[in-house]
Amino acid sequence: MNGGQGLNSYANNSTYQRGGFEAVKPIMEEEIATKLDLKNRSSKTPFRIADFGCSTGLNSFPAMQTIIQAIEKKIDTQKGLLSGPPDFQVFFVDQLVNDFASLFRLLPPERNYYSAAVPGSFQDRLLPNASIDFAYSSCALNWFSKIPAAVEDRSSPAWNGGRVHYTGARREVFEAYAKHFANDIRLFLEARAREVVAGGLMALLVPAVPTFEIPDNSFATPTELDLVGSCLVDMAKKGKIKKEKIDSFNFPMYLTIPQEFQTILERNPKFSIERFEIIDSPGKSTLAGANARAGFMRAILEVLLINHFGGEIIDELFDRYTKKLASSPVFIDPNNDKSILILVILKRKPE
Ligand SMILES: C[S@@+](CC[C@H](N)C(=O)[O-])C[C@H]1O[C@@H](n2cnc3c(N)ncnc32)[C@H](O)[C@@H]1O
C-alpha cells in the first residue's frame, strides 16, 4: 500500500474499504453487546485489541474506536460486570515495510487507548500467548504472504505465463491460488488461536465475490485487476515492458467465495463461528468515476508494481487503466460491481 498522505496514498484512496467497515459497524456493535464475555474480567486488567493489516491507520482508528465504545457501553449498561472501564491497548499490526510513521502521526489525539505497533506477517505468531481480547482484520486476508511457487514455475502445469492473475487463466492456476489462500488462512487462524484469550472475539472483514461464473475456460469472476493486467500486456506488446517481466509477475491477491471461506474457517477447531454475514458491494457508492477507481487501485498496487517493473511504467500504466475503465461498459457502471464483503465473528473456544 502507498504510505504517506499524498495524492496517491492509501490514506487518501481507501474510501472503498472504509465503506465496508461502515456497513458492518452495527453488526459488530451488536455482536460485542451480545457475545463478548466480560464476566471473569477485572477493570484493573487492560483490554487488548489487535488490528491485523492496519496500513496507515485511517480506517483502523474508527474501527478501534467503535470496538472500544461498544465495550464501554456494555460495561455501562450491564452494571456489576466490572467496576469501571479497563485501560484499552491497541496493537497495530502490519508488514515490516508498512508506513508505521504515518500511522503514529495520524493517531487521533483524543483517543482513549494506549497504542503500539507490531511489525511482521500475520501468518506468523506475533503476540504472546492468550494476550489479545479482541482481534480485528479488515480487507487484508485477501492478500497473499507470497505468490504460489507453481504459478511462477515454467515447468509446472500451473505456470501463468503471459497473464498476471488467475481469473480467466487455466484451471491449474486457479487451483494453485485457491490452495495457497486456504493455507494462508489456516496459518492466520492457528497463530491467532494461540494469541486470543478463551472467550475472546475476532472480527474478520474479507473482500470476496458472490460465486464463480464459469463461462468457457474462465475460473473466476473478472475483476478490475484483469483490466490492470490487460494494460500491462498492452504495454508489453508495444515493447514498453519486457514480455518475461509479465511472465514472472502475478498479483498476490485472491477473492474467495462465501462457501469456500466458511469451509476453511470450519476446519479450525479452536474458533466457533458466531456470525457469518455477506454484505453486498460495500463501497460501491464511494468510488464514483474512473479517476477515483484508478486512485483506489494505484494506492494498493503501486509499490508491488514498482518493485517488479520499475517506477517508470507507473504513470502510463494508470493513464491507460483510467481510459480503459472509463470506456468499459462493464466496469465503469457501479451497478455491475460484483464485489461483496464477508463479515465473520469468531469466538475463541475454551481449551
Ligand atoms: C488494503 S489494506 C487494508 C488496510 C485497513 N485494514 C483498511 O481496512 O483500510 C491491507 C493491509 O494488510 C497488510 N497485509 C497484507 N498481508 C499481510 C500480512 N501477511 N501480514 C501483515 N499485514 C499484511 C498490507 O500491508 C496492508 O497494509
Side-chain angles (χ1 to χ4, degrees):
M1 312 297 131
N2 281 350
Q5 294 162 66
L7 192 64
N8 297 320
S9 62
Y10 183 77
N12 273 326
N13 290 279
S14 53
T15 52
Y16 184 85
Q17 293 85 343
R18 176 64 178 270
F21 165 69
E22 293 298 335
V24 303
K25 188 173 155 177
I27 306 176
M28 281 180 47
E29 289 168 334
E30 190 186 316
E31 288 298 300
I32 289 171
T34 55
K35 307 267 171 68
L36 186 65
D37 187 359
L38 295 174
K39 279 199 197 81
N40 297 321
R41 290 199 61 92
S42 145
S43 53
K44 294 197 181 106
T45 316
F47 191 98
R48 298 197 176 93
I49 304 166
D51 180 6
F52 293 90
C54 57
S55 192
T56 39
L58 279 188
N59 291 335
S60 181
F61 306 144
M64 297 305 103
Q65 202 55 41
T66 297
I67 293 166
I68 290 171
Q69 278 170 353
I71 296 166
E72 286 177 334
K73 188 170 167 200
K74 181 167 177 140
I75 293 170
D76 205 39
T77 49
Q78 296 183 22
K79 297 272 181 246
L81 261 184
L82 274 83
S83 55
D87 282 340
F88 289 96
Q89 185 175 25
V90 174
F91 294 97
F92 294 99
V93 180
D94 209 295
Q95 304 272 22
L96 185 63
V97 291
N98 184 53
D99 181 7
F100 284 110
S102 284
L103 180 140
F104 285 118
R105 253 181 249 120
L106 292 165
L107 269 172
E110 70 287 359
R111 69 192 177 281
N112 60 346
Y113 53 84
Y114 297 94
S115 49
V118 179
S121 173
F122 53 48
Q123 274 87 26
D124 299 329
R125 272 297 299 280
L126 294 170
L127 292 151
N129 265 331
S131 61
I132 298 300
D133 300 285
F134 197 107
Y136 173 83
S137 180
S138 165
C139 302
L141 290 175
N142 49 318
W143 292 96
F144 278 177
S145 52
K146 56 181 185 303
I147 290 295
V151 166
E152 293 188 340
D153 174 1
R154 281 177 181 269
S155 64
S156 160
W159 184 56
N160 200 25
R163 291 182 161 276
V164 292
H165 210 205
Y166 60 87
T167 45
R170 275 175 297 141
R171 176 180 288 277
E172 288 86 351
V173 177
F174 167 68
E175 285 171 353
Y177 265 84
K179 193 170 154 204
H180 191 92
F181 176 75
N183 196 46
D184 269 1
I185 301 297
R186 177 182 69 78
L187 293 172
F188 176 87
L189 293 173
E190 283 175 6
R192 299 304 79 75
R194 307 276 299 279
E195 296 165 355
V196 175
V197 298
L201 294 183
M202 177 148 78
L204 306 177
L205 281 67
V206 183
V209 284
T211 184
F212 294 153
E213 290 164 8
I214 311 188
D216 310 327
N217 66 343
S218 175
F219 288 97
T221 308
T223 70
E224 287 178 27
L225 276 186
D226 298 324
L227 271 194
V228 182
S230 75
C231 295
L232 285 167
V233 171
D234 291 349
M235 287 174 75
K237 282 186 191 144
K238 295 223 172 297
K240 299 186 176 199
I241 294 176
K242 288 208 172 89
K243 189 185 162 301
E244 305 80 71
K245 279 278 180 195
I246 303 275
D247 289 345
S248 57
F249 180 78
N250 288 282
F251 286 118
M253 205 268 262
Y254 180 80
L255 292 169
T256 186
I257 56 170
Q259 187 52 51
E260 176 187 44
F261 193 56
Q262 187 167 346
T263 304
I264 298 169
L265 295 174
E266 282 167 355
R267 278 186 210 135
N268 185 295
K270 307 279 184 180
F271 288 101
S272 57
I273 301 177
E274 300 292 319
R275 191 137 175 186
F276 193 101
E277 292 282 337
I278 296 164
I279 318 288
D280 187 32
S281 292
K284 202 189 256 184
S285 56
T286 69
L287 291 177
N291 284 327
R293 297 175 81 123
F296 155 77
M297 267 314 190
R298 185 168 180 159
I300 58 174
L301 298 179
E302 186 165 357
V303 174
L304 202 66
L305 291 163
I306 288 177
N307 285 344
H308 188 83
F309 295 101
E312 57 287 351
I313 69 148
I314 297 297
D315 285 339
E316 178 173 345
L317 175 66
F318 282 98
D319 278 353
R320 284 172 176 268
Y321 175 69
T322 310
K323 284 184 192 129
K324 255 195 195 190
L325 200 57
S327 62
S328 157
V330 178
F331 285 109
I332 198 58
D333 181 355
N335 293 318
N336 291 328
D337 182 357
K338 293 204 172 72
S339 63
I340 54 170
L341 190 67
I342 301 174
L343 168 69
V344 187
I345 306 288
L346 301 175
K347 191 171 207 170
R348 177 68 170 90
K349 293 179 190 168
E351 285 299 344

